[in-house]
Amino acid sequence: AANTTSKVIFGTDGLVTIYNPYQLQWSSRAVNGKYALGGNINASVTSTWNSGAGFVPIGTNVSPFTGTFDGNGYTIDGLSAHWSGYYFIGLIGYAGSGATIHDVGLTNASIIGSYYVGGLVGYSNHADIHDAYAQASVSGLSSVGGLGGYNNYGTIDRTYAEGSVLGTGN
């Protein structure tokens, strides 16, 4: 049941292990949770979600992601989030104080937004991001980056980004 599209299984310690893109998307419903990837994820199906807009980023400025996201060294491949006209776009849209994102790779991703747009994290506010990378095509208007769009007093360590980045505004 843990690998079906409709089930999310919590461990006895509250940890949710993510095995597919549907479970990954579900994590946006509980932004203070503890998540870990259970294997590499093919997220190419996200390009067809939401009339082509794709994956809905985890965390917003109203409800920031404040949990833990442990990639366990696995990758998320082919993630698509095309939210032109929207702020805080990336795998994690808005990582707030207390958030930890680590040991994860994002490959062949396509990320489009307006402000605070990044491959892995759109906006980081006192969050901890380490041992992570993004290989993505990222575009937006302002505060655009390959790994992260904007970092406000967060810690980013042992990370890198590859791919094209286009910021058309400030």
Side-chain angles (χ1 to χ4, degrees):
N3 290 318
T4 68
T5 59
S6 62
K7 301 287 183 186
V8 175
I9 307 299
F10 290 87
T12 56
D13 60 355
L15 178 70
V16 175
T17 303
I18 297 170
Y19 295 96
N20 61 56
Y22 305 96
Q23 292 171 331
L24 183 65
Q25 184 65 87
W26 180 90
S27 64
S28 66
R29 294 181 174 181
V31 292
N32 61 345
K34 294 174 13 182
Y35 302 99
L37 295 184
N40 293 324
I41 293 177
N42 178 348
S44 60
V45 68
T46 59
S47 68
T48 64
W49 292 357
N50 299 304
S51 301
F55 185 83
V56 176
I58 301 166
T60 67
N61 63 322
V62 175
S63 184
F65 177 75
T66 57
T68 301
F69 191 98
D70 181 353
N72 282 323
Y74 293 116
T75 61
I76 299 167
D77 185 67
L79 185 81
S80 178
H82 292 182
W83 295 94
S84 297
Y86 288 85
Y87 290 30
F88 312 110
I89 306 299
L91 170 66
I92 309 287
Y94 191 116
S97 184
T100 301
I101 300 135
H102 63 94
D103 298 305
V104 63
L106 188 65
T107 58
N108 300 309
S110 178
I111 310 294
I112 299 170
S114 284
Y115 293 88
Y116 311 113
V117 184
L120 192 63
V121 178
Y123 187 94
S124 172
N125 186 25
H126 295 90
D128 178 24
I129 303 166
H130 61 90
D131 300 302
Y133 65 92
Q135 295 170 335
S137 170
V138 182
S139 63
L141 186 59
S142 183
S143 297
V144 180
L147 183 80
Y150 189 88
N151 180 39
N152 184 45
Y153 298 104
T155 301
I156 300 176
D157 195 22
R158 298 178 309 273
T159 63
Y160 71 90
E162 294 178 341
S164 65
V165 176
L166 175 64
T168 59
N170 297 337

